[in-house]
Amino acid sequence: MVFNKFTHLARPSLSKTFVYGYAQSVVAATQSTGPFPPLSKHQGNKASRPNTAQLHTSFSSASTASASTGKASHPGTESAQHGDGGLVAYYEAWQKLQQHGGEVKEWRQYQFPKLIEPRASPKPQGQKGKEQDIANHADEVIDHLQQDQAFSTGSVDGIRHPQAKEEAAAVPDADEVIATVIDEVEHSPDAKDETSIVSPGQQHLTQGTNEPGSTSSSLSPDARVVASVRSTPLSDTTAATSVQDLDSDAFLQHLSKLQDAQIYKDIPPAFESLLAHGIKPTAAAYNALLTSAIHLSMGRHEVVPKALDIYADMLSRKVSPDAAFYSTLITTLSRRALAVADIKEDMELRQKRFSTQQATMSFLFASDEAEYGIVSEDDALSNALTIFGTATSLGKKCILPAETFQVLVLACARHHRVNDMLRVYQHLEWQHVKPAAKIFPAMIEAFARDGDLSSAMECYNEYHSLAVADDSGKFSIYGRDDGGVYAALIKAHNLCGKSDVGRRFYDKIIDSFAAVIQERRQQLEQIRDVVHVEAFIQHRLDVCDFTGALAIARGNQLSPNAREQAFSKICIAAADNGNTVLANKAYQHLSASSAGKPAASLAMLALHVRRDELEAAFEHWATLAHATGPGPSFIEPTVALADALIRHGQVEKASAILRETFARIRGSQQATLLPADLADQIDEGIEVIARSLAQSGISTSAITSLNVLWAMVENGGLISQIAEQMLAGLGPEDVASLGWQDMILTLQAEAGLIGSGTKLSDVAHTSRFGHLLDIAINARVCLDKNTIRLVENATKQLSTENTDLVDRWQYYTRALPQSTQHFPLAISSPSSLPNATLSNNFDPHAATTDHRGSAVIVEGLENHRNAKGLAEALAKFRNIRRSGRHPRYIAYARLITAASKEGRVNLTHDILGMARNDMPFLPEYPFVQHGWSSILDAMVGACLLAGKRNLAEHFHQELLDIGSTPTANTYGLYITTLKESTKTFDEASEAVKIFKRAITEGVLPSSFLYNALIGKLGKARRIDDCLRYFQEMRVAGVRPTSVTYGTIVNALCRVSDERFAEELFDEMESMPNYKPRPAPYNSLMQYHLTTKRDCKKVLAYYNRMQSMNIQPTMHTYKLLIDTHATLEPVNLAAAEGILDTIRASGHRPEAVHYAALIHAKGCALHDMVGARQVFDQVLAGGEVKPQACLYQSLFESMVANHCVAQTEEVLDSMSANRVEMTPYIANTLIHGWAMEHQISKSKAIYDSVGMEKREPSTYESMTRAFLTAEDRKGALSTVHEMLSRGYPSAVSSKILELVSHGIDRAGNLVLSDLIV
């Protein structure tokens, strides 16, 4: 078992302190009189760097760095820069020896380059041949050495080490050859004639030598001499070519090629080799090194310190940076400044969302406090501006590119440094650099935040002039961002309190497109979207006017994508400010595929967690888990949700979520952090939960303790303090309930704690360890080597306290056979067992299953499908669990279904949690997989019935993950519950998609699934599709039921296909499995009542219904009342007598029956007095509660009798009785006020119905009202909103015909815009 060594669990911020600890100002670097110390690989030792540290060790491997530390440098002298400082000292000593007649034999190695290059004079032929053989032999050695050198300067240790033996073998051979060359040349006659003094002008030939006792990181001194031999060909006409120049050009060209090819990992070793040869780097070389540092830095905090160190070393070597270097460095610092602003904003948002103490606004993680303080002190922008001033002081010698100006201006604007922003922009103009369009919105906003509206206008005018020039064909600006600039200027007016001016400016922009709307429609839509979202809506959000922002987003000015973006922003802003109502309203407008929904769900999750609304929080949790794979940003929401669960006593659920989510985060492709950093964050999250458990005072169960232990183990190792806390609550009963894997983990943890030798706060650890070890010994469990090692260490610590335990353990280990197979701890599957060939019917949980009790539970739920039956089943269920056993899988599924039908959503989740605890899912057992399929399928259905489709999708995905799918009846629930989803308007199309998804997932359709599909298609009047699926149902062998026939008959009645409807009705009655139901009879009765107006037919089907002994429904009685009161011959007495019939059947008349009487008297008989009398009697009697249908019938009667003015009084009564306005009441009143030519009151009624509650008939009524008032613009606006709702074409086309009838060509263009 791996134990982390640290005791404090907050993420270590020491490394961040180091990398942020670079020199806070580069002014000192540019003004210091002394040379700068060279770069160091270790950023933490900046106060006292050793002089021997060289730049090439910054990015090299450990072996290269160690090899070069012995090389002394003298940065203050010119000779040091050429690498010949040591040679001058030796040369002076040699001169002194010459004056005193001393022996100079030891200096001949430095004279070698001169001695092997004789003066141009005739030589014997034999001597030339001898020298040529020596040179050829030396060339072969040089080739071999250079091949080794190519490997030795590599940055990969894996390449360096295998070559070490070859280099060691090659160097002695080279030394031997070189010694031979030197001996032969020294003993040659011509060589003795040569002077042994090296002139100062020829010192460059000796710069490859080293001082005595020094070591080199590249070539040995002798090897460098051989290199000099090769670079100085032996010929009669040899020119005095500089070896350094040749080497310098080669190295610089190599660096340039590496940079162009983007082989960044090879640039630091190449730069190291350049320095090792004593070559002074150029600006281009430093630029290549800077580029490689930027691309090779793994952490986001490492780039800037390395870049500044490279710049400081460049200045210390007196190398003048060029424009490319300045540009790269300034751009890097500016981007870091922008990143710092983003980091601060993100951390402040997370602090606001997940703060554990809302009063003090503290961070959830302690390490965030330290990191926020470090980020707040970051001055990358100040350094960038200082270096920018140095670069611009060079004038035309240093022309920076547009990208550098762009990021620097954006950084200044983001940090509200307006004066610096202006200075940078002025230099941009002086250098005649074309600006980027992206900088202007940021500059305008920066001016506006300072209250300088005149400067913001001047900035806009500057962009306007550049854009005009660009339109005329003159290149004046990079890119165009007209919408962004317009939005920024309007937002600036809003910030400065001149919203009316901003609105007039926007109107002028829109008017400017009037003449060219056809050609620039796309540009207009883009500008309209940007201005509304970034200016109008954003301003409302800034002042916390969420209602106003929501009203703008609901308008008809935005495209669908922009509207989704707006609703997401409103939802996030409202949630972060604690406005639950408006946040929910905005969230309801987001579609399931919206790009902004995950971010909105995260904000909503944080809101509900802060308010301890866990049920609502889990809906958004499921949405987040299903929408995207969790990344590192998911750690904090997970910990916050688990902490809230602990506060509400749901400890086991919290620990399970913690372990599962952390495992998903580690396996996610979105994990952009380094593994160590990710593990640190998860460890800190576990610490927060452990602290919450300790503060809550809740005793942790075995399940909770093991979940936390496994979470730590899966994250890399146990944390001793938390492990001790989790183990403290485990008693003998808890240990007895553990599986073998959990018990082994507990044993390892106890052994690790005791074996570490640290003092433990709980004295029970020793007893618990002994109990666990006794269980393992008595059961003769084969422990793995790691467990044996940990137990050995623990028993050594207990050798004096518990000798009996030590003796038993030693006896156990001696008794183990040598060939025992030890199985390691399977971390990924706590309950897994060794692989074996198992039968498909084998149930690993069968030993603890109560089959008889399960049968009692299932039978009770079947016989008593009500609350009483559920209560009895739950009592039996609890008794079974108290005895230490559990029911079968099917019993859990039936309990979940029964609880969902009673509306007890929390109970369904509790039952699921108990199932997970009693019978953990084991994927290797097919029987367990089949059983869990039924449980999860029941959970999908329960969530659908509760209207929680997002949660249903979560369990659906879990079903797919285990290799199963929901049943056909569950897919039918997906269709039948579409009405509860406010996101869906074309229910028929959605139903077809659900049906096809079921087929795709391999589900065999059932009659319930077909009935649900045909029902939705029938309501949408898609009769052809109804009949097609009806025929498909028959071909598939699925026998139609009476519900199927009733659905088809109802669909045929909707399209007035009377003949076919009656044929299917007769076929239904003749079916052998026919079960009489009232729905088909009601459909035909309603068809002949409303469409055919045939009283005889209605009563005939009613008599036919009675002959089948079918009990009439309340809807049947309503149809009879309408028939007697509205169809000829009118028989009002018979209509009123239906009420007595209802009472005689043992029921009470409902509001719909009285509403039918009111409608009959008021609309059919135009007896307004009688209608009002019935209405007043019903309300006064108290037998029926006031309902919308009563008011609707009265309003219809008033409109039919031209008593519209009296409706206002009734509206007040409706509000007093808390009866909500319905779309159908609104339709009546809209029509009535339009007939009275009071369109404003019609519009007021229309507005009183929220957009989410408006029906197609509501849009039709309002459109007709506008057309009646000859307000065509208002009618088109209403139609535009209707089209945005996504209704089926069969529904929307009827309303479109209203505005397209008799329209001219211009109108047709408008209509086409609406349709698109």
Side-chain angles (χ1 to χ4, degrees):
M1 182 59 57
V2 181
F3 280 81
N4 291 346
K5 301 300 183 183
F6 53 86
T7 59
H8 182 63
L9 297 177
R11 291 199 307 274
S13 59
L14 187 61
S15 60
K16 297 178 183 177
T17 306
F18 284 162
V19 297
Y20 276 112
Y22 58 82
Q24 296 301 314
S25 175
V26 190
V27 178
T30 59
Q31 296 179 353
S32 177
T33 56
F36 268 73
L39 295 180
S40 171
K41 181 179 179 180
H42 307 287
Q43 302 295 338
N45 194 23
K46 296 192 180 294
S48 57
R49 289 185 188 141
N51 291 332
T52 58
Q54 295 293 327
L55 175 63
H56 56 270
T57 65
S58 296
F59 305 104
S60 63
S61 62
S63 58
T64 307
S66 63
S68 61
T69 53
K71 184 177 179 180
S73 62
H74 305 275
T77 62
E78 181 67 21
S79 61
Q81 296 176 8
H82 292 281
D84 56 0
L87 179 60
V88 173
Y90 281 98
Y91 181 71
E92 291 175 354
W94 177 82
Q95 284 183 329
K96 292 180 181 180
L97 288 174
Q98 284 289 94
Q99 293 175 1
H100 294 84
E103 185 67 24
V104 297
K105 183 177 180 180
E106 62 183 280
W107 302 101
R108 288 173 182 171
Q109 57 177 322
Y110 297 105
Q111 300 165 11
F112 175 68
K114 179 64 180 175
L115 293 176
I116 65 174
E117 186 180 1
R119 294 175 182 176
S121 60
K123 298 180 181 179
Q125 185 69 25
Q127 179 68 20
K128 290 184 179 181
K130 184 177 181 180
E131 292 178 353
Q132 186 65 36
D133 292 338
I134 294 173
N136 292 337
H137 194 178
D139 286 343
E140 295 177 3
V141 177
I142 292 169
D143 291 337
H144 182 70
L145 285 174
Q146 287 183 340
Q147 183 179 4
D148 287 346
Q149 181 187 5
F151 288 103
S152 66
T153 58
S155 61
V156 181
D157 291 338
I159 297 178
R160 179 186 304 274
H161 299 310
Q163 296 296 328
K165 294 182 179 179
E166 297 181 10
E167 290 180 2
V171 171
D173 295 341
D175 291 342
E176 183 179 350
V177 174
I178 292 169
T180 303
V181 174
I182 293 174
D183 184 67
E184 291 177 354
V185 174
E186 286 182 346
H187 290 82
S188 64
D190 294 335
K192 294 180 180 179
D193 295 336
E194 297 294 335
T195 177
S196 61
I197 301 178
V198 182
S199 63
Q202 296 171 331
Q203 288 183 3
H204 65 277
L205 295 176
T206 65
Q207 58 185 309
T209 60
N210 288 347
E211 297 180 10
S214 65
T215 58
S216 174
S217 62
S218 54
L219 295 178
S220 64
D222 293 333
R224 295 188 186 195
V225 173
V226 177
S228 300
V229 172
R230 184 173 186 181
S231 62
T232 310
L234 300 175
S235 63
D236 295 337
T237 59
T238 300
T241 305
S242 173
V243 178
Q244 178 185 0
D245 293 342
L246 293 175
D247 289 348
S248 175
D249 291 342
F251 275 113
L252 295 177
Q253 288 178 5
H254 181 56
L255 281 173
S256 177
K257 290 179 180 178
L258 290 176
Q259 184 179 10
D260 294 341
Q262 298 181 355
I263 309 175
Y264 300 115
K265 66 182 181 63
D266 291 344
I267 292 179
F271 195 93
E272 171 190 355
S273 182
L274 180 145
L275 293 178
H277 282 75
I279 300 173
K280 180 178 180 179
T282 62
Y286 273 106
N287 195 22
L289 184 64
L290 177 61
T291 305
S292 70
I294 293 172
H295 287 85
L296 295 179
S297 298
M298 298 183 67
R300 63 183 182 183
H301 308 291
E302 298 177 2
V303 177
V304 170
K306 288 183 178 180
L308 289 178
D309 280 345
I310 292 173
Y311 179 55
D313 187 84
M314 189 179 189
L315 297 179
S316 71
R317 296 179 187 273
K318 299 181 180 180
V319 179
S320 300
D322 57 3
F325 185 90
Y326 276 126
S327 173
T328 304
L329 183 58
I330 295 171
T331 302
T332 301
L333 293 172
S334 301
R335 285 176 176 165
R336 174 58 187 169
L338 289 171
V340 164
D342 291 335
I343 293 172
K344 286 186 64 178
E345 183 178 339
D346 176 67
M347 294 186 72
E348 289 168 357
L349 179 60
R350 290 190 286 114
Q351 181 188 35
K352 186 177 182 180
R353 286 180 175 176
F354 304 110
S355 175
T356 55
Q357 299 176 1
Q358 291 295 321
T360 58
M361 294 299 292
S362 59
F363 286 96
L364 182 62
F365 292 163
S367 63
D368 286 340
E369 294 277 1
E371 185 174 358
Y372 185 78
I374 293 171
V375 171
S376 300
E377 297 175 359
D378 186 276
D379 61 350
L381 180 58
S382 299
N383 291 334
L385 290 170
T386 302
I387 298 173
F388 175 78
T390 304
T392 53
S393 65
L394 301 177
K396 294 184 178 180
K397 295 181 181 179
C398 185
I399 304 297
L400 300 176
E403 181 185 5
T404 302
F405 283 104
Q406 174 185 339
V407 293
L408 188 54
V409 168
L410 291 175
C412 292
R414 188 75 180 275
H415 287 264
H416 308 299
R417 300 180 65 162
V418 178
N419 293 332
D420 293 323
M421 180 184 71
L422 279 175
R423 179 166 64 90
V424 174
Y425 189 80
Q426 288 173 355
H427 280 288
L428 179 145
E429 291 181 322
W430 291 342
Q431 293 188 5
H432 303 290
V433 177
K434 301 296 185 297
K438 292 183 178 180
I439 68 174
F440 289 97
M443 292 175 66
I444 292 173
E445 184 173 351
F447 285 127
R449 292 194 180 278
D450 278 1
D452 189 358
L453 186 58
S454 60
S455 296
M457 287 294 300
E458 185 178 347
C459 186
Y460 166 75
N461 292 332
E462 174 74 11
Y463 176 83
H464 182 267
S465 61
L466 294 172
V468 170
D470 185 69
D471 288 339
S472 63
K474 180 181 178 181
F475 176 65
S476 305
I477 190 171
Y478 285 100
R480 292 288 290 274
D481 191 15
D482 295 354
V485 173
Y486 292 149
L489 187 60
I490 294 172
K491 188 176 180 181
H493 282 89
N494 293 335
L495 288 173
C496 296
K498 296 185 177 181
S499 302
D500 54 340
V501 180
R503 171 58 71 174
R504 289 199 299 270
F505 175 70
Y506 171 72
D507 292 338
K508 289 182 180 180
I509 296 172
I510 299 302
D511 293 341
S512 66
F513 284 85
V516 287
I517 184 66
Q518 195 73 7
E519 294 78 8
R520 301 173 63 185
R521 181 184 308 148
Q522 183 177 0
Q523 184 182 2
L524 173 61
E525 291 180 356
Q526 181 182 4
I527 291 175
R528 183 187 291 119
D529 289 344
V530 173
V531 170
H532 276 80
V533 175
E534 300 298 335
F536 295 137
I537 293 178
Q538 186 61 48
H539 174 65
R540 299 281 186 177
L541 297 180
D542 291 339
V543 298
C544 296
D545 181 11
F546 305 115
T547 304
L550 197 60
I552 296 174
R554 284 174 172 173
N556 56 3
Q557 299 293 324
L558 299 177
S559 65
N561 290 337
R563 183 176 288 107
E564 294 276 355
Q565 181 185 357
F567 284 132
S568 178
K569 293 186 69 171
I570 295 169
C571 177
I572 293 171
D576 291 337
N577 284 275
N579 195 327
T580 308
V581 176
L582 286 173
N584 280 322
K585 287 184 178 180
Y587 186 82
Q588 290 174 359
H589 287 85
L590 293 173
S591 62
S593 59
S594 174
K597 190 164 188 177
S601 296
L602 181 59
M604 293 295 291
L605 171 66
L607 171 64
H608 291 303
V609 168
R610 291 196 303 270
R611 292 179 174 271
D612 289 336
E613 299 168 348
L614 296 185
E615 184 177 345
F618 268 103
E619 293 185 19
H620 298 288
W621 174 265
T623 301
L624 287 171
H626 181 68
T628 57
S633 61
F634 216 58
I635 296 176
E636 208 160 8
T638 303
V639 174
L641 179 61
D643 184 52
L645 288 170
I646 291 172
R647 292 197 304 269
H648 285 74
Q650 303 183 35
V651 180
E652 293 183 2
K653 191 173 186 178
S655 62
I657 288 176
L658 200 73
R659 180 188 174 188
E660 178 186 357
T661 308
F662 284 168
R664 293 180 60 199
I665 290 173
R666 283 190 298 271
S668 174
Q669 297 298 325
Q670 300 184 17
T672 56
L673 295 177
L674 296 175
D677 294 337
L678 183 61
D680 287 343
Q681 287 194 22
I682 292 176
D683 279 340
E684 190 169 5
I686 296 174
E687 185 213 22
V688 172
I689 296 303
R691 189 189 312 120
S692 178
L693 285 170
Q695 293 174 353
S696 66
I698 301 175
S699 58
T700 57
S701 64
I703 296 176
T704 301
S705 299
L706 266 299
N707 278 333
V708 175
L709 290 175
W710 280 113
M712 290 189 289
V713 169
E714 292 164 352
N715 196 46
L718 290 176
I719 302 168
S720 57
Q721 298 91 330
I722 300 179
E724 185 177 356
Q725 176 186 347
M726 293 299 107
L727 293 172
L730 292 180
E733 295 181 357
D734 297 319
V735 172
S737 66
L738 298 178
W740 283 117
Q741 290 291 326
D742 292 340
M743 194 205 70
I744 292 174
L745 172 63
T746 308
L747 177 61
Q748 288 184 346
E750 286 287 6
L753 290 172
I754 296 173
S756 64
T758 58
K759 185 177 181 180
L760 302 177
S761 59
D762 185 8
V763 296
H765 283 291
T766 303
S767 301
R768 189 180 302 108
F769 170 70
H771 180 60
L772 289 166
L773 190 57
D774 283 338
I775 294 175
I777 292 174
N778 295 333
R780 304 193 61 81
V781 178
C782 294
L783 302 177
D784 60 275
K785 294 181 180 179
N786 184 40
T787 306
I788 294 175
R789 178 181 57 81
L790 290 171
V791 174
E792 288 283 358
N793 294 335
T795 54
K796 289 179 182 178
Q797 294 291 332
L798 300 175
S799 58
T800 59
E801 300 178 16
N802 196 337
T803 57
D804 293 339
L805 180 65
V806 175
D807 293 340
R808 289 197 303 273
W809 170 251
Q810 291 177 353
Y811 176 80
Y812 168 76
T813 54
R814 287 194 300 268
L816 286 176
Q818 297 297 325
S819 60
T820 299
Q821 180 72 27
H822 297 293
F823 297 100
L825 188 63
I827 292 177
S828 59
S829 179
S831 303
S832 62
L833 297 173
N835 293 330
T837 304
L838 301 173
S839 170
N840 290 340
N841 295 326
F842 176 75
D843 182 9
H845 305 302
T848 55
T849 302
D850 188 341
H851 295 275
R852 180 175 297 179
S854 302
V856 172
I857 291 174
V858 173
E859 184 178 354
L861 292 174
E862 288 291 337
N863 297 334
H864 305 283
R865 300 185 179 184
N866 49 30
K868 182 180 178 181
L870 177 61
E872 294 175 353
L874 286 174
K876 181 63 177 177
F877 173 67
R878 294 190 180 97
N879 290 334
I880 294 174
R881 296 189 79 246
R882 286 193 192 100
S883 64
R885 302 172 68 82
H886 57 79
R888 297 170 55 199
Y889 302 95
I890 189 62
Y892 286 95
R894 294 294 176 84
L895 283 170
I896 290 172
T897 302
S900 65
K901 291 181 178 179
E902 294 297 326
R904 301 177 64 179
V905 181
N906 292 333
L907 179 58
T908 61
H909 290 281
D910 292 340
I911 296 171
L912 176 65
M914 287 184 279
R916 294 188 190 276
N917 180 44
D918 297 341
M919 303 176 300
F921 176 73
L922 304 176
E924 61 269 27
Y925 298 103
F927 192 90
V928 177
Q929 180 180 358
H930 176 74
W932 267 100
S933 298
S934 63
I935 295 175
L936 293 176
D937 180 71
M939 282 302 301
V940 175
C943 294
L944 291 173
L945 290 175
K948 302 180 183 301
R949 299 185 75 83
N950 293 332
L951 206 55
E953 286 290 343
H954 170 73
F955 290 113
H956 189 147
Q957 185 60 44
E958 191 173 349
L959 262 175
L960 297 178
D961 293 341
I962 69 173
S964 185
T965 58
T967 60
N969 288 349
T970 302
Y971 276 105
L973 284 177
Y974 267 112
I975 296 175
T976 57
T977 56
L978 279 174
K979 190 65 178 177
E980 282 73 26
S981 176
T982 58
K983 320 295 185 306
T984 304
F985 302 104
D986 189 356
E987 295 180 10
S989 299
E990 288 295 325
V992 172
K993 291 180 182 178
I994 293 171
F995 183 82
K996 290 181 177 179
R997 179 184 180 185
I999 300 301
T1000 303
E1001 294 183 0
V1003 176
L1004 294 177
S1006 62
S1007 59
F1008 178 73
L1009 178 56
Y1010 275 115
N1011 293 344
L1013 174 63
I1014 294 171
K1016 292 297 182 183
L1017 292 172
K1019 289 182 179 180
R1021 294 177 172 81
R1022 293 170 56 174
I1023 191 61
D1024 292 338
D1025 290 330
C1026 287
L1027 296 175
R1028 179 167 67 87
Y1029 284 108
F1030 182 64
Q1031 182 63 26
E1032 179 183 306
M1033 181 180 182
R1034 287 175 162 178
V1035 172
V1038 180
R1039 181 176 295 178
T1041 64
S1042 57
V1043 177
T1044 311
Y1045 283 105
T1047 305
I1048 289 289
V1049 168
N1050 186 37
L1052 291 169
C1053 290
R1054 286 176 180 269
V1055 296
S1056 301
D1057 194 342
E1058 177 185 1
R1059 183 185 60 81
F1060 197 13
E1062 290 181 346
E1063 288 180 4
L1064 285 179
F1065 188 86
D1066 294 337
E1067 179 183 328
M1068 174 191 71
E1069 289 187 328
S1070 63
M1071 293 293 290
N1073 65 331
Y1074 171 62
K1075 182 179 180 179
R1077 293 180 181 273
Y1081 298 90
N1082 289 342
S1083 297
L1084 285 172
M1085 289 172 63
Q1086 184 169 352
Y1087 169 71
H1088 288 98
L1089 169 65
T1090 58
T1091 305
K1092 290 296 185 178
R1093 310 290 296 171
D1094 189 341
C1095 180
K1096 291 182 180 181
K1097 279 284 190 179
V1098 175
L1099 296 177
Y1101 277 104
Y1102 174 69
N1103 294 330
R1104 196 167 175 177
M1105 179 179 181
Q1106 286 186 317
S1107 66
M1108 290 289 185
N1109 295 323
I1110 300 175
Q1111 180 66 33
T1113 64
M1114 291 299 169
H1115 183 58
T1116 309
Y1117 290 124
K1118 178 187 178 299
L1119 295 175
L1120 290 174
I1121 293 174
D1122 289 335
T1123 300
H1124 290 301
T1126 61
L1127 298 183
E1128 295 294 337
V1130 175
N1131 189 348
L1132 193 58
E1136 293 176 343
I1138 298 297
L1139 300 178
D1140 297 330
T1141 304
I1142 297 174
R1143 295 187 183 98
S1145 65
H1147 299 86
R1148 289 184 180 180
E1150 297 179 353
V1152 292
H1153 304 122
Y1154 292 107
L1157 280 177
I1158 296 172
H1159 184 271
K1161 289 187 176 184
C1163 298
L1165 304 177
H1166 295 282
D1167 181 7
M1168 188 61 220
V1169 176
R1172 184 61 184 265
Q1173 184 179 3
V1174 175
F1175 178 82
D1176 294 337
Q1177 288 176 354
V1178 172
L1179 293 186
E1183 184 181 4
V1184 176
K1185 292 183 179 180
Q1187 294 185 23
C1189 61
L1190 292 171
Y1191 286 96
Q1192 179 181 341
S1193 298
L1194 184 61
F1195 286 136
E1196 291 173 351
S1197 301
M1198 289 179 171
V1199 171
N1201 290 278
H1202 307 288
C1203 301
V1204 183
Q1206 300 177 15
T1207 59
E1208 294 182 338
E1209 176 189 354
V1210 182
L1211 270 178
D1212 295 337
S1213 171
M1214 188 173 75
S1215 300
N1217 289 322
R1218 297 182 179 181
V1219 178
E1220 293 185 358
M1221 173 71 71
T1222 67
Y1224 308 105
I1225 294 177
N1227 298 345
T1228 302
L1229 296 177
I1230 290 171
H1231 172 68
W1233 287 116
M1235 294 298 100
E1236 297 292 326
H1237 303 290
Q1238 295 192 35
I1239 191 64
S1240 59
K1241 292 190 176 183
S1242 295
K1243 185 66 165 62
I1245 296 294
Y1246 175 79
D1247 293 336
S1248 66
V1249 182
M1251 180 179 178
E1252 63 277 3
K1253 294 184 179 181
R1254 292 171 188 165
E1255 296 284 344
S1257 59
T1258 312
Y1259 292 109
E1260 180 181 355
S1261 299
M1262 195 64 233
T1263 302
R1264 291 182 182 276
F1266 276 125
L1267 293 176
T1268 302
E1270 298 182 355
D1271 184 356
R1272 187 166 195 79
K1273 183 177 180 181
L1276 291 175
S1277 175
T1278 305
V1279 173
H1280 190 282
E1281 181 184 318
M1282 181 271 300
L1283 291 174
S1284 68
R1285 300 290 299 275
Y1287 291 116
S1289 58
V1291 176
S1292 59
S1293 60
K1294 181 180 178 181
I1295 305 175
L1296 281 172
E1297 290 176 357
L1298 298 176
V1299 294
S1300 63
H1301 181 66
I1303 201 168
D1304 56 8
R1305 182 176 182 182
N1308 284 326
L1309 290 175
V1310 174
L1311 179 61
S1312 65
D1313 290 344
L1314 290 173
I1315 296 174
V1316 173

